[in-house]
Amino acid sequence: MKDYRITFEKRGRVKYISHLDLNRCMIRAIRRSDLPAWYTEGFHPHLYLMFPLALSLGAESICEVMDFRLTEEVPDDEILSRLNASMPEGLKAISVHEPKYEAQHIGSACYDVTLQGENLSQFWNDFISQEQILTEKKTKKGMKTIDIKPMITIEGMTAENDNLCLSLRLPAGNEGNLNVTVVTDAFQKYAEKPILVTKILRTKIFCQNGEIFS
Amino acid sequence: MLKDKIEQYLLEVQKPSRYSGGEVGQVVKDKSKVDVRFAFCFPDVYDVGMSHLGMKILYSLINERENYWCERVFAPWTDMEEVMRREQIPLYALESFDPIKDFDFIGFTLQYEMSYTAILNMLDLAGVPIFQRDRGETIFPMIVAGGPCSCNPEPLADFFDLFILGEGEEVNLELMDLYKEMRDNGATRSEFLKKASQIQGVYVPSLYDVTYHEDGTIDAVTPRENAPATITKRVMVNMDESYYPKQVVVPFIEIVHDRVSVEVLRGCIRGCRFCQAGFLYRPFREKSAETVCQQGKALCESTGYDELSLSSLSTSDHSQIEEMLDQLLTYTDERHINLSLPSLRIDNFSKSVMEKVTTIRKSGLTFAPEAGTQRLRDVINKNVTEDEVMRTCRIAFEGGYTQVKLYFMMGLPTETDEDIVGIAQLAEKVVDLFYSMPERAKGKLQVSISTATFVPKPFTPFEFEPQTEKAEILRKQAVLKKAIKSKRIKASMHVSDISQIEAVLARGDRRLCQVLYDVWKDGGYLDSWDEFFKAERWYSAFEKNGLDPAFYANRTRSYEEVMPWSHIDYMVSKKFLIRENQKAHAGETTPPCREYCGGCGANKCLGRPCFP
């Protein structure tokens, strides 16, 4: 029995698959690949699969992570080629390795966000210069107002014509998570005009210690 | 590109991957190398349509032909429909994202009557004229339909170019071949239809004139242009040689029947007199155990599904059921695959089959005694005795089951209050049985009773019978409610005008086309969903067109009456249906086909007795 972690891309129209559906889709892909998958023992054995960090519906990614277990050791390149042969268009395993960190070590994630609309860089600068950026968040006790400003780190920004490309680093994982769509929704609300979110791409997942999650 | 435009709006709607395609198993071809394109439309949402076995068979079958391309189309849910109308997105096929109005064929499957309004809406979303007469002489798109409701296609006659009767595996390709040839030679729509009407199983409604008597019944259906006076359905004679897919599309979202299925047999030996499928799909033909196992394995391997279902009208009637299960279980156990048997019968549900199934999963059991007393079960020829129900429940309880669902119909021919009270008594006996068993499973027993209003259907011995009216059904429900004593029994009995509308459409004639059109114009769409069905829309459309729903649904028809489907032959003879109707009223049963041939006539396509 051996644990494996793959890093995979989720790009194109598979971005419309929810987290739950992705889970089912991966189970079937592993079953089709005929890799010697490990099943849980118990009354209803199921194929063991774990996603350390979920991705929101509509977002793409080049750094998704999935853990699974095989009953015997299989060479890395064979795992990759067999998985890639059985995965649907848009899902692609890039690398396979032994898990180094655990899900609870995840601290933040980076996103490239492309927005479309007139004068967006001006609006964005105004938006982000506010003292507080208050948004409503659904909690178990009902709606709660939170300030997301301290949670947003801007790592890059380019504007061309009506396109604004942002690189954002946001908290992720158990210790505090900010969904990137919360930021884009807040911005759309602030700008009070139609802004098209043309792309959200997760580019990196970091641990709390600053290292890439692997 | 249409694809990019659609993607802009997908995050506005629920379950966007209903509309984005790209699943494992979908067939994408180079359209420059394709001669004939077929849009296979299911007039309901993706989650429902993707569960339909017939579509999977025909999709793969057409796509086996290199130069033909079949794609999938489903009805958009109302949120997506709104987006499509607002943004002027035409109805498109999931594989290519091309608008279907440019396809050669747009084919609908007619699985249930209440889907008809969705068909009209889909044609409109596609940008195709709703009425056949408005489509002009350009040969494409050819609007066709098949599936069980084609047995009485008259309420849809004005909307379709042609209907395909019976099993489509051969005739679909014959039609496409003829189309390709004629289109390449510059034929018009009507020229093609004239020629197509000569293919067995193809019904071109525009080639038939219908005249009516003063009382509203049909006087005659007269063919024109050499069209056949009787149109006979198509049948695949040999199930082992009949095409079956090795690969199917694997959806991303959870669908209604989320599993692969192998069809183990067609037809049914039981002859329950209310059951349309039991007559439409005759004669009885089964696949060998070997074929079933081979096809099941191929599908599990190509899709990665962990559930395999053996589907048919009555899987336990397969002559090699035990062998088949033994063979399959060796494979499925090892691969962590659940085997499900959705249609088992009470009477031959043996202990060994039971054990085989329970090694896999343990959940509730569902039985359909259909009627509460032996007398009424004899009338409807549901050859199940109370002893058999009890015996099976005993096996089930010993096997650890604590939930039993019992399905019944209300408003069956000859039904009295005694039969209604019998439903409660039967359920009470099941409860008593459970508590009398010292070896019963732990936990609380729940017996659920569910009742549905009987809808008389064409090509059944009850096609002559009136449907019971809503007020009377409500009274019967009250009788049943009063008769239930045990707290372990839960009865769900909702009543809806849908039953009457379904009855009207099932046995309706061509004059209903205008009613359907008016209902759709008035906003009718996805009427099979309770939340969208509005009875007033239908009743006002009947009134507007001077038609009485009771004429279609609640009237006794004589044996001599010309039915709207009298010119259609599903191989079960009218003489046989009359004989069965008479036996029903006399309370006489007809044994299963395997024991005794009732002489329905369906074996004529086999050229031999069904059970030599």
Side-chain angles (χ1 to χ4, degrees):
Chain A
M1 197 160 76
K2 199 179 170 206
D3 286 334
Y4 290 91
R5 171 168 292 167
I6 62 160
T7 302
F8 66 97
E9 288 182 357
K10 188 187 184 198
R11 306 200 69 174
R13 52 183 156 161
V14 279
K15 72 180 175 199
Y16 298 113
I17 310 172
S18 69
H19 186 66
L20 205 67
D21 293 339
L22 178 70
N23 185 66
R24 193 173 24 239
C25 164
M26 284 297 196
I27 289 175
R28 288 176 189 153
I30 293 172
R31 292 176 58 92
R32 285 191 297 269
S33 76
D34 217 16
L35 286 164
W38 182 80
Y39 285 75
T40 58
E41 283 146 8
F43 203 66
H44 293 292
H46 59 270
L47 195 149
Y48 171 78
L49 208 59
M50 218 270 288
F51 293 87
L53 187 65
L55 183 68
S56 12
L57 187 78
E60 298 176 82
S61 175
I62 51 171
C63 60
E64 288 312 283
V65 180
M66 175 179 87
D67 294 349
F68 58 97
R69 208 170 267 176
L70 299 182
T71 56
E72 57 194 83
E73 201 168 329
V74 177
D76 289 355
D77 51 352
E78 192 182 334
I79 293 179
L80 287 181
S81 64
R82 273 161 78 175
L83 273 182
N84 283 330
S86 60
M87 285 209 285
E89 171 201 317
L91 292 177
K92 190 182 165 206
I94 315 161
S95 65
V96 60
H97 42 88
E98 262 181 70
K100 188 173 168 191
Y101 294 104
E102 286 172 43
Q104 71 250 34
H105 294 134
I106 292 174
S108 62
C110 284
Y111 300 88
D112 285 350
V113 180
T114 311
L115 305 163
Q116 214 175 58
E118 275 173 54
N119 288 326
L120 277 190
S121 27
Q122 187 55 46
F123 273 106
W124 174 262
N125 285 332
D126 293 349
F127 169 70
I128 208 70
S129 316
Q130 299 175 90
E131 222 155 90
Q132 284 188 315
I133 303 175
L134 298 178
T135 56
E136 296 274 293
K137 196 182 171 182
K138 225 191 251 168
T139 65
K140 279 173 197 158
K141 288 179 188 163
M143 297 305 278
K144 198 177 136 191
T145 306
I146 53 159
D147 178 16
I148 58 169
K149 175 146 183 208
M151 303 164 97
I152 306 172
T153 311
I154 301 168
E155 303 212 314
M157 180 176 148
T158 54
E160 204 177 311
N161 301 329
D162 284 345
N163 285 320
L164 176 67
C165 303
L166 299 165
S167 286
L168 304 178
R169 185 156 164 176
L170 307 174
N174 294 340
E175 295 295 309
N177 194 72
L178 180 61
N179 196 324
V180 61
T181 53
V182 172
V183 181
T184 53
D185 287 350
F187 180 46
Q188 275 168 319
K189 208 173 151 195
Y190 173 82
E192 289 181 328
K193 61 170 193 166
I195 295 175
L196 207 58
V197 181
T198 53
K199 187 171 207 163
I200 297 175
L201 178 71
R202 181 142 81 192
T203 54
K204 286 184 200 91
I205 301 173
F206 290 103
C207 297
Q208 287 140 15
N209 67 7
E211 291 214 24
I212 290 278
F213 179 75
S214 62
Chain B
M1 264 207 5
L2 189 56
K3 185 176 171 181
D4 298 328
K5 185 172 175 182
I6 292 160
E7 286 208 2
Q8 278 183 36
Y9 306 103
L10 283 188
L11 290 175
E12 288 179 29
V13 301
Q14 282 175 43
K15 302 189 192 176
S17 62
R18 280 171 171 166
Y19 311 107
S20 56
E23 308 95 321
V24 163
Q26 72 164 14
V27 179
V28 176
K29 297 191 178 188
D30 174 355
K31 49 183 162 185
S32 67
K33 290 178 185 149
V34 167
D35 290 319
V36 182
R37 297 183 68 178
F38 194 107
F40 198 118
C41 303
F42 195 101
D44 209 319
V45 284
Y46 180 94
D47 336 14
V48 176
M50 279 294 288
S51 303
H52 176 234
L53 180 58
M55 180 178 206
K56 295 175 211 240
I57 298 175
L58 297 172
Y59 176 84
S60 299
L61 172 91
I62 296 172
N63 282 324
E64 289 268 314
R65 290 278 291 266
E66 211 182 340
N67 58 336
Y68 293 171
W69 187 10
C70 180
E71 301 185 49
R72 295 162 300 143
V73 185
F74 301 96
W77 191 247
T78 46
D79 56 355
M80 184 62 175
E81 192 214 350
E82 209 182 295
V83 168
M84 291 171 77
R85 293 208 181 270
R86 187 185 74 210
E87 304 299 333
Q88 297 184 317
I89 296 168
L91 192 65
Y92 58 93
L94 283 178
E95 279 74 5
S96 65
F97 281 83
D98 286 333
I100 61 167
K101 112 177 153 328
D102 304 325
F103 279 48
D104 299 291
F105 284 90
I106 296 178
F108 284 89
T109 177
L110 310 177
Q111 295 296 315
Y112 31 90
E113 293 81 3
M114 297 316 293
S115 70
Y116 292 173
T117 48
I119 295 174
L120 301 198
N121 202 42
M122 286 171 80
L123 285 175
D124 187 59
L125 278 170
V128 173
I130 305 272
F131 284 101
Q132 197 273 345
R133 58 175 181 262
D134 297 331
R135 287 188 200 127
E137 279 300 350
T138 312
I139 196 165
F140 77 93
M142 199 47 74
I143 313 300
V144 308
C149 295
S150 293
C151 73
N152 177 26
E154 292 304 286
L156 294 171
D158 294 350
F159 310 119
F160 281 91
D161 286 289
L162 61 87
F163 294 93
I164 296 158
L165 313 184
E167 295 164 10
E169 283 97 336
E170 289 169 341
V171 63
N172 281 17
L173 292 176
E174 289 166 25
L175 257 179
M176 291 173 80
D177 291 342
L178 177 70
Y179 171 90
K180 181 187 174 300
E181 189 197 314
M182 292 189 71
R183 179 204 54 195
D184 292 350
N185 289 320
T188 62
R189 183 178 297 268
S190 47
E191 283 165 351
F192 171 73
L193 289 176
K194 246 177 266 171
K195 200 83 178 265
S197 72
Q198 301 300 317
I199 299 177
Q200 190 200 325
V202 175
Y203 170 49
V204 179
S206 55
L207 297 181
Y208 295 78
D209 293 321
V210 183
T211 50
Y212 301 88
H213 293 298
E214 235 164 67
D215 65 2
T217 57
I218 291 172
D219 169 33
V221 179
T222 321
R224 281 185 285 107
E225 314 262 13
N226 245 341
T230 311
I231 310 97
T232 307
K233 75 160 177 176
R234 293 292 289 264
V235 175
M236 300 305 295
V237 170
N238 186 327
M239 288 303 289
D240 279 322
E241 286 166 18
S242 198
Y243 178 81
Y244 206 73
K246 292 178 186 63
Q247 163 86 65
V248 292
V249 181
V250 186
F252 289 119
I253 59 167
E254 201 168 358
I255 57 170
V256 177
H257 298 294
D258 212 0
R259 55 189 79 98
V260 280
S261 33
V262 178
E263 187 186 16
V264 300
L265 58 89
R266 268 183 205 173
C268 185
I269 60 171
R270 299 286 160 175
C272 303
R273 290 174 181 137
F274 55 87
C275 174
Q276 190 183 34
F279 296 97
L280 285 187
Y281 297 127
R282 289 184 176 212
F284 180 87
R285 292 146 292 156
E286 55 182 37
K287 284 180 188 169
S288 65
E290 200 184 324
T291 306
V292 170
C293 294
Q294 190 199 324
Q295 293 176 345
K297 282 182 200 173
L299 279 173
C300 288
E301 269 153 37
S302 66
T303 61
Y305 261 105
D306 56 7
E307 188 169 346
L308 170 65
S309 137
L310 300 182
S311 82
S312 75
L313 293 175
S314 178
T315 298
S316 47
D317 280 330
H318 194 285
S319 59
Q320 300 168 293
I321 181 72
E322 305 238 351
E323 284 166 75
M324 190 193 297
L325 289 178
D326 283 338
Q327 265 191 56
L328 271 173
L329 282 165
T330 338
Y331 170 79
T332 55
D333 277 354
E334 188 186 305
R335 304 285 173 120
H336 301 99
I337 295 166
N338 282 324
L339 194 60
S340 63
L341 302 170
S343 27
L344 292 176
R345 282 186 53 89
I346 298 182
D347 51 345
N348 59 0
F349 189 95
S350 73
K351 199 159 180 167
S352 64
V353 170
M354 175 79 189
E355 274 158 8
K356 279 168 191 146
V357 181
T358 47
T359 54
I360 299 292
R361 60 153 61 207
K362 199 166 285 180
S363 59
L365 267 193
T366 304
F367 299 131
E370 308 291 6
T373 60
Q374 195 56 49
R375 185 201 68 81
L376 191 54
R377 284 194 294 273
D378 287 347
V379 168
I380 63 175
N381 205 42
K382 182 87 190 183
N383 297 343
V384 161
T385 63
E386 192 175 295
D387 284 351
E388 283 164 336
V389 174
M390 290 305 147
R391 188 173 56 88
T392 312
C393 285
R394 178 177 288 276
I395 297 171
F397 294 150
E398 281 167 0
Y401 287 83
T402 55
Q403 279 177 40
V404 178
K405 279 188 202 157
L406 300 171
Y407 282 44
F408 296 93
M409 278 186 287
M410 265 195 197
L412 288 163
T414 77
E415 186 178 87
T416 64
D417 283 3
E418 205 174 303
D419 300 305
I420 300 298
V421 172
I423 294 175
Q425 287 168 343
L426 185 63
E428 299 280 353
K429 280 180 191 156
V430 173
V431 174
D432 293 345
L433 171 75
F434 181 81
Y435 289 107
S436 74
M437 287 170 58
E439 67 276 38
R440 68 180 179 254
K442 287 195 192 93
K444 269 192 178 174
L445 172 76
Q446 189 173 57
V447 178
S448 317
I449 300 176
S450 157
T451 62
T453 304
F454 169 62
V455 180
K457 298 270 168 124
F459 296 102
T460 67
F462 291 158
E463 64 175 22
F464 314 100
E465 299 292 335
Q467 186 184 44
T468 304
E469 285 177 46
K470 190 175 155 190
E472 175 65 1
I473 294 287
L474 283 168
R475 192 195 62 79
K476 289 185 176 192
Q477 288 185 348
V479 171
L480 175 57
K481 218 172 215 168
K482 223 176 133 194
I484 296 170
K485 302 278 183 284
S486 166
K487 286 199 170 107
R488 304 264 62 87
I489 301 173
K490 205 184 87 207
S492 68
M493 311 177 272
H494 91 289
V495 72
S496 161
D497 293 306
I498 286 187
S499 302
Q500 194 193 21
I501 305 299
E502 188 187 329
V504 169
L505 293 174
R507 293 185 297 167
D509 56 40
R510 281 182 187 203
R511 293 171 297 182
L512 292 170
C513 293
Q514 192 59 42
V515 171
L516 269 171
Y517 182 81
D518 291 338
V519 169
W520 167 71
K521 267 281 167 196
D522 194 21
Y525 178 47
L526 298 176
D527 280 281
S528 56
W529 295 80
D530 278 346
E531 61 257 60
F532 300 128
F533 174 79
K534 295 262 181 304
E536 314 83 73
R537 256 185 215 134
W538 289 87
Y539 292 116
S540 75
F542 287 127
E543 208 183 319
K544 189 178 152 197
N545 289 283
L547 295 170
D548 177 11
F551 169 82
Y552 295 103
N554 312 99
R555 176 175 62 91
T556 304
R557 304 183 189 210
S558 76
Y559 293 148
E560 292 76 36
E561 182 173 331
V562 177
M563 303 289 198
W565 58 92
S566 284
H567 54 305
I568 284 170
D569 179 7
Y570 264 62
M571 296 191 178
V572 172
S573 73
K574 187 155 183 182
K575 263 192 210 146
F576 168 76
L577 295 179
I578 293 171
R579 206 157 64 227
E580 280 293 300
N581 184 274
Q582 288 163 338
K583 283 174 83 176
H585 284 279
E588 289 170 30
T589 61
T590 297
C593 303
R594 193 174 265 139
E595 287 163 32
Y596 166 86
C597 174
C600 73
N603 68 316
K604 69 185 171 196
C605 63
L606 302 175
R608 57 164 173 85
C610 299
F611 298 97

